[in-house]
Amino acid sequence: MKIKLLLLTAIFGLTTVFSNSPAKKRILVYTKNGKGYVHKNIPFSVEAWKKIGEANNLIVDVSDDSGVMNKENLAQYSCLVFSNTCNDIFDTEEQRQALVDYIHAGGAYVGVHSASDSEKDWPWYAAMVGGKFKRHPAFQPFEIKVIDKNHPATSMLGETWKKEDECYYMNEFNPNNHVLLAADMRTVKDSEKEVYPGRTFGDYLPLAWCHEFEGGRVFYTALGHDSKDYVDPVFVQHLTGGLLWALGEYPKEAHSKKKNRK
């Protein structure tokens, strides 16, 4: 009888432990592209995000269907990852409003590479991402200055990150961006460099940042054009750190500037 009681107690205890285990956070990797250029890296980026999710105890859903952008569906996600989205990525105003409502409710957003070249005619989206793509010179090796060495998206780097990528020239920067990485424009070859950005940003042009926006947390990196990036351990750590920061795994005040909601 005592043995049965002990077994029942042990089973009850285990049941209680498992029932009280915190639910896994769920993220949505969104890869919608409208008419225009579509990156060949998307399947590779999806695989990378799945592995990041597995390594960090996250459930990862993937979709390129704009129909997922509705208030009820987005409510289940702790973060939205726009991985190489480009051009028009929403079909209706209701879908756009669902993203606005999600951010206002405290949602998290991670944008990768051409996410800044999405929804080009929507000023709110550019402000949320933190900048708007303008153009880029040819794919080439160049140097990237690490502005914040303590952020989880950059803590694996030294003073300089030498990388081959598209150096995105952007404008409409959100003044609340906390810049993490900046291209050393002295190392970028571009015959039209003086047209833009010229000396607007001095020798360094922002490439990655984080900020708090209207209640949500946003991380963006302009890097990630090459499919090989998504199996590069350093780049994957860069993405992972940005995601974990957006998810709130690090103090809000440590690496961001606050912006009041409208």
Side-chain angles (χ1 to χ4, degrees), residues 135-143 163 165-169 183-194 196-197:
R135 72 175 185 89
H136 66 78
F139 183 86
Q140 62 183 285
F142 61 96
E143 293 184 5
K163 193 177 185 309
D165 213 313
E166 290 178 339
C167 182
Y168 265 23
Y169 297 169
D184 184 340
M185 297 304 296
R186 297 169 298 184
T187 67
V188 177
K189 296 178 181 178
D190 177 19
S191 61
E192 299 181 24
K193 191 191 304 183
E194 291 306 314
Y196 188 85

Side-chain angles (χ1 to χ4, degrees), residues 41-53:
N41 63 23
I42 290 176
F44 300 90
S45 75
V46 166
E47 286 306 308
W49 284 113
K50 287 179 178 178
K51 290 178 181 178
I52 290 170

